[in-house]
């Protein structure tokens, strides 16, 4: 058995047994959907309909339905694309990076986070499709042999790198998520009472029966998938950032973009994870699995990455000033004090200033406050992409082409609608699949033997007056140990 | 003052009437012009506004070194007056060969009067769609060539010209708004050797020809608009709508008679693709074919772009840079020649010539004359010898 | 396999089954497999399962991905149809790196997981050979081969019971 230090706080509270875990997590699947679920799913469906309508309208009428013009060629479309891809990165970080760092607190949150990644990447891909002038030939950036003499693609272009990066990211996340699901699907299969459930869960469980030989290989590939997903997190958003960094637009052309975007992605992704889980743990009664320690840890990540992003803003500004390049200097002054200055200060406020509240323990462990902050984080990160794209484009080298950008109702509808798409998929996930990794959780629940050991050590410490009362003092700081 | 168009012309839109007849404001009585009161015209103030549709909404150069000028005296003393700012360029890779033709254009800002004939002829030659007032207000005009017009005013407090709009609003600056200076700069695709647009197109819709043209393959474009974002000169135009057979754009593309105006040598672009100045590639190809049929080499003047052909001041000169006898080769060796954004090393094929004004006061200011072209050449040769 | 008959010891505590299995191996019994709702830490070592060669497979797939990506890109941009894009040379190796990296990861993930399924004989729609319906819930099962004329079933059963088995059963595998 793995050695679990007896003085560490429980990651699963409430004295849960293996059977409790199974019952709690399969309950939403086996019971009829609750009123809360119907409300959420219904709302999401309506908003999804808005997305379908406005995207179809754009494809039929033309991109003229949006507010773009000759100077500002990208605005809401690419802002939303980068926004959604960024959100996806938290899921992969939780699944993969925290696995490599042996952070066991990831176990109750990684499946829903990874599901969030998959749905977020789908939303991002929808923007790629709808932003094209001719979406019916959207497959042309993929290098496939063809009848045009085999006309290939431009491998110099960051958009082609994006094709590979986003496809890889989506596929690998899907595979990692699915492989992790197999043992839990088997659990649902074995408890299934209806014919349909037996069939479908049996189908996707691929004959899983809990054999240690298979578990061994499963753990090996989980580790390797985690090991390759980690550079994937770093590389995918770096490649997305290079859509901007490799261009020569002042305000885009800066080498800080790859690390800055990755930090920002993790920041916004954790924001979205917090938004989802603060609500889910209340509604589904998962407070024993997603404890306040989990929320605390996630808030610390939010604060760290938010500060990193703020540091990147200051660095960008400094380098522009120091460079002496008048176009760069103008770009940054215009960002903060030009016609879109209001969006810049929203961004600064939400991303650098607001997360500093998480220095306070109260802030990190109060769910309703965390929920509000997570919304602020996402608003801030949306504005960051808006600021980068629109303020840099609308005033560049030749002042004769300076113009303003105003979004239209169609663009707002598509943005809103993408949330509909996301939540529609997420509610389906919550209904039909176990949202917490049961098998992993069971491996960290304290066994009877470990609980007896803990009792034994606590008694020892109480009886021995010379030793400091360590166990009690550290109660509050358990997840991270010493 | 113009006359309002009341009678219908080719397109039905014209029948609606454009503009108003302003001659009613002026009468001729007793041998003099009588204003306002003529013909019982009255003026009343309304609270209505009318937004003017402009293709350019920012009118100053903001102190950027893109418009170069000198006074005549300075030019006589030093032919490269006002044109001493040159960038030091390093190349990371070996350049492609440019044997054969190498097309380029020289634009003399001294000759350009800003009349706009080039814009009209380019639009006619290349089937550039008319988008109408509403789309111009949305900054979506389709003109492949435009004439940028920049104003500057003197700041009487400093005695220097002021080109920053921020300074105009500052009350401490005594801006002399009574005397305006204007510069006209025709701007079209610069056909850059290191085109930033080509690098970023995902589907190879825009690549470089062996003759130095930046090519645009309309039927390959998927419309990501990355090329337009990356163009520092903002010369690329996107087809936001279907501009033909579309009642929303009821101009000459929307009826049979109007479509007879279309140049059959040039593709009409569909919705969702990018377009831009092509150096009238259809004319280049036609001239090459003609020369081939006549079994001779091309000579300077065989091919004229539409803008060059219609310019009354001969401000636009197109030609083969690889032909040492062509007019453009000579113009490119001129001390007044510069390129825009040279420091970004995009290597434009379009060169601009400094404007020389016949005024008394100095414009370019005190500048050291740079090393002459020959001296630079000798330094370079010496360096080469040192290496070998 | 010379026998398809096994004895199953069913437990509800992973520490008990861990200790039992260790003892059984030490005593020379042939443990076919242990079934659990989660991977018991150290159980694979106890059972003598060698480190999976999927790691080697992963490396090979990564190399495949790299070769595939570089071949595709150099063929398309240099050997097949060269184009002048922004004045850049046709063989532009630095720009090949992002795609090479991504394809290496893609090939690794899919190849390795495909091998995983193949080696475990896992297919969609496969009828699972369920040892005990609660193995995926909260019970642990150790399956020991009953070698005819060699395995003392009674002794085996007592070992299992003494180490905390809540149930003992016999089963026959269909091979």
């Amino acid at each position: 058995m793995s050695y679990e230090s007896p003085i560490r706080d429980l990651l699963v509270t409430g004295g849960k047994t293996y059977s409790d875990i199974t019952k709690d997590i399969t309950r939403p699947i086996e019971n009829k959907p609750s009123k809360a679920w119907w409300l959420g799913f219904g709302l999401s469906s309506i908003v999804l309909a808005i997305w379908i309508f406005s995207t179809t309208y754009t494809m039929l009428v033309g991109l003229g339905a949006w507010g773009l013009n000759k100077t500002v060629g990208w605005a809401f479309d690419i802002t939303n694309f980068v926004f959604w891809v960024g959100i996806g990165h938290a899921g992969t970080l939780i699944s993969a990076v925290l696995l490599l760092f042996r952070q066991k607190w990831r176990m109750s949150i990684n499946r829903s986070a990874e599901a969030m990644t998959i749905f977020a990447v789908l939303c991002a891909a929808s923007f790629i499709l709808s932003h094209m002038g001719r979406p019916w030939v959207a497959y042309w950036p993929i290098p496939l042999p063809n009848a045009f003499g085999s006309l290939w693609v431009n491998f110099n272009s960051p958009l082609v790198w994006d094709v590979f990066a986003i496809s890889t990211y989506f596929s690998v996340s899907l595979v990692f998520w699915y492989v992790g699901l197999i043992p839990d699907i088997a659990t649902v299969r074995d408890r299934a009472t209806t014919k349909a459930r037996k069939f479908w869960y049996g189908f996707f469980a691929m004959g899983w029966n809990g054999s240690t030989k298979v578990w061994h290989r499963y753990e090996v590939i989980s580790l390797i998938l985690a090991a390759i997903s980690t550079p994937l997190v770093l590389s995918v958003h770096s490649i997305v950032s290079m859509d901007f960094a490799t261009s020569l637009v002042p305000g885009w052309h800066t080498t800080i973009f790859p690390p800055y975007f990755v930090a920002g992605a993790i920041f916004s992704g954790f924001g979205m994870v917090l938004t989802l889980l603060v609500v889910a743990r209340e509604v589904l009664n998962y407070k024993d699995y997603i404890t306040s320690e989990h929320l605390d840890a996630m808030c610390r990540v939010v604060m760290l990455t938010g500060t990193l992003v703020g540091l990147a803003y200051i660095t960008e500004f400094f380098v522009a000033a120091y460079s002496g390049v008048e176009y760069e200097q103008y770009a940054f002054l215009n960002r903060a004090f030009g016609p879109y200055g209001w969006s810049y200060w929203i961004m600064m406020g939400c991303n650098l200033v607001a997360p500093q509240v998480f220095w306070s323990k109260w802030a990190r462990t109060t769910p309703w406050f965390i929920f509000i902050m997570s919304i602020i984080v996402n608003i801030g990160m949306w504005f960051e992409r808006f600021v980068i794209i629109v303020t840099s484009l609308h005033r560049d080298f030749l002042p004769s082409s300076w113009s303003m950008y105003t979004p239209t109702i169609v663009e707002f509808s598509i943005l809103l609608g993408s949330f509909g798409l996301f939540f529609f998929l997420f509610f389906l996930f919550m209904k039909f699949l176990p949202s917490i990794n049961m098998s992993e959780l069971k491996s960290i629940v304290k066994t009877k033997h470990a609980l007896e050991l803990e009792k034994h050590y606590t008694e020892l410490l109480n009886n021995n007056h010379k030793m400091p009362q360590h166990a009690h003092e550290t109660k509050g700081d358990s997840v991270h140990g010493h | 003052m113009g006359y309002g168009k009341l009678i219908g012309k080719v397109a039905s839109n014209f029948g609606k009437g454009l503009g108003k007849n302003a001659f009613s404001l002026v009468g001729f009585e007793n041998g003099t012009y009588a204003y306002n009161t003529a013909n019982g015209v009255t003026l009343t103030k309304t609270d209505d506004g009318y937004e003017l549709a402009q293709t350019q909404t920012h009118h100053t150069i903001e102190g950027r070194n893109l418009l170069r000028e000198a006074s005549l005296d300075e030019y006589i003393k030093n032919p490269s007056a006002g044109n001493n700012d040159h960038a030091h360029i390093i190349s990371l890779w070996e350049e492609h060969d440019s044997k054969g033709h190498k097309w380029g254009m020289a634009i003399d800002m001294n000759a350009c009067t800003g009349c706009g004939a080039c814009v009209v002829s380019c639009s006619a030659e290349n089937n550039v769609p008319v988008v109408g007032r509403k789309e111009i207000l949305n900054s979506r005009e389709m003109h492949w060539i435009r004439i940028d017009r920049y104003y500057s005013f003197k700041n009487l407090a400093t005695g220097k010209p002021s080109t920053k709009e921020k300074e105009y609003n500052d009350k401490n600056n005594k801006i002399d708004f009574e005397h305006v200076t204007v510069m006209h700069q025709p701007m079209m695709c610069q056909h850059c050797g290191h085109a930033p647009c080509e690098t970023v197109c995902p589907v190879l819709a825009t690549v470089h020809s062996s003759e130095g043209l930046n090519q645009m393959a309309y039927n390959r474009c998927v419309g990501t608009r990355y090329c337009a974002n990356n163009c520092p000169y903002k010369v690329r135009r996107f087809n936001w709508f279907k501009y033909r057979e579309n009642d929303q754009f009821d101009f000459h593309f929307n009826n049979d008679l109007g479509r007879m105006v279309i140049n059959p040598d040039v593709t009409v672009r569909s919705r969702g693709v990018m377009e831009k100045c092509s150096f009238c590639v259809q004319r280049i190809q036609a001239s090459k074919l003609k020369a081939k049929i006549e079994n001779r080499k091309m000579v300077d003047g065989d091919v004229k772009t539409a803008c060059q052909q219609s310019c009354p001041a001969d401000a636009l000169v197109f030609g083969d840079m690889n032909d040492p006898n062509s007019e453009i080769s000579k113009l490119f060796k001129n001390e007044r020649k510069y390129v825009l954004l040279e420091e970004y090393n995009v290597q434009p094929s379009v060169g601009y010539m400094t404007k020389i004004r016949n005024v008394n006061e100095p414009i370019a200011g005190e500048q050291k004359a740079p090393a002459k072209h020959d001296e630079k050449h000798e330094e370079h040769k010496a360096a080469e010898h040192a290496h070998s | 396999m010379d026998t398809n008959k096994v004895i199953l010891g069913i437990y509800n505590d992973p520490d008990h089954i861990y200790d039992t299995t260790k003892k059984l191996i030490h005593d020379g019994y042939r443990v076919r497999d242990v079934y659990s709702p989660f991977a018991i830490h150290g159980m694979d070592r106890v059972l003598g399962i060698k480190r999976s060669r999927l790691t080697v497979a992963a490396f090979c797939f990564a190399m495949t991905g790299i070769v595939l990506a570089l071949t595709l890109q150099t063929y398309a941009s240099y050997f097949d149809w060269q184009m002048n894009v922004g004045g850049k040379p046709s063989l532009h190796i630095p720009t090949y790196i992002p795609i090479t990296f991504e394809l290496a990861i893609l090939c690794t993930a899919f190849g390795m997981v495909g091998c995983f399924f193949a080696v475990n004989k896992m297919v969609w729609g496969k009828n699972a050979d369920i040892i005990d319906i609660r193995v995926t819930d909260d019970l642990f099962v150790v399956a020991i081969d009953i070698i005819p004329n060699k395995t003392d079933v009674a002794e085996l059963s007592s070992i299992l019971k003494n180490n905390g088995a809540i149930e003992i059963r016999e089963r026959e595998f269909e091979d």
Side-chain angles (χ1 to χ4, degrees), chain B residues 44-113:
Chain B
T44 39
K45 189 174 164 206
T46 71
D47 282 328
D48 286 343
Y50 185 81
E51 217 178 336
L52 294 172
Q54 301 172 283
T55 54
Q56 180 180 353
T57 49
H58 194 91
H59 307 285
T60 55
I61 197 65
E62 300 292 320
R64 296 172 181 197
N65 193 3
L66 304 169
L67 303 170
R68 299 188 188 179
E69 46 180 343
S71 73
L72 184 59
D73 288 335
E74 288 171 323
Y75 175 71
I76 291 170
K77 276 197 214 104
N78 171 15
S80 58
N83 195 19
N84 290 322
D85 199 0
H86 288 286
H88 177 61
I89 303 293
I90 308 168
S91 188
L92 287 177
W93 56 73
E94 258 181 54
E95 303 294 331
H96 285 248
D97 289 332
S98 63
K99 307 184 188 100
H101 301 294
K102 192 169 178 217
W103 303 111
M105 184 175 279
I107 299 178
D108 192 349
M109 296 200 294
N110 210 12
C112 177
T113 59

Side-chain angles (χ1 to χ4, degrees), chain A residues 58-74 77 131-138 140-141 146 148 151-160 242-250 252 325-328 330-331 393 395-404, chain B residues 55-66 135 138-141 146 148-150 166 185 187 196-204 206 218-226 228-234 236-242 248 270-273 340-341 343-344 346:
Chain A
T58 305
M59 289 192 184
L60 290 175
V61 164
L63 287 169
W66 293 0
L68 301 169
N69 56 44
K70 65 179 185 193
T71 310
V72 182
W74 286 347
D77 47 356
H131 98 295
M132 286 183 174
R134 299 203 293 163
W136 47 93
V137 287
W140 277 357
N146 52 57
F148 306 131
L151 178 59
W152 300 105
V153 301
N154 180 11
F155 291 107
N156 287 303
S157 168
L159 293 187
V160 172
M242 289 203 256
D243 288 348
F244 309 111
T246 56
S247 79
L248 46 58
V249 177
W252 282 12
V325 179
E326 63 181 305
Y327 304 110
E328 297 287 336
Y330 184 79
L393 282 179
R395 288 186 177 177
D396 64 341
F397 295 96
L398 267 55
S400 58
S401 31
W402 287 3
S403 74
M404 293 295 291
Chain B
T55 54
Q56 180 180 353
T57 49
H58 194 91
H59 307 285
T60 55
I61 197 65
E62 300 292 320
R64 296 172 181 197
N65 193 3
L66 304 169
E135 287 296 283
N138 284 335
S139 300
R140 289 183 185 158
E141 79 278 3
R146 62 176 191 260
D148 291 339
R149 176 196 58 201
Y150 296 104
K166 228 174 35 173
Q185 187 174 56
M187 178 63 61
C197 58
E198 292 170 11
T199 310
V200 295
C201 172
V203 290
L204 293 170
T206 178
Y218 307 122
N219 50 356
R220 178 66 173 170
C221 177
V222 292
T224 58
R225 304 178 300 291
Y226 198 172
N229 289 338
N230 215 20
C231 174
Y233 308 102
K234 285 289 177 289
R236 287 175 154 271
R237 301 286 176 259
F238 186 71
N239 283 273
W240 300 101
F241 292 105
K242 185 170 105 156
Q248 215 191 335
S270 82
R271 158 167 81 94
V273 301
L340 296 187
L341 300 176
E343 63 269 30
Y344 282 85
V346 292

Side-chain angles (χ1 to χ4, degrees), chain C residues 4-5 32 129 171-175:
Chain C
N4 279 335
K5 280 204 169 67
R32 183 181 276 239
D129 184 10
R171 188 200 203 259
E172 183 150 353
F173 275 96
E174 301 115 29
D175 229 293

Side-chain angles (χ1 to χ4, degrees), chain A residues 76-77 80-81 84 123-131 414-415 418:
Chain A
F76 268 45
D77 47 356
N80 296 336
F81 162 68
W84 281 113
C123 289
S126 76
F127 282 102
I128 292 294
L129 192 67
S130 60
H131 98 295
I414 298 183
L415 170 58
S418 66

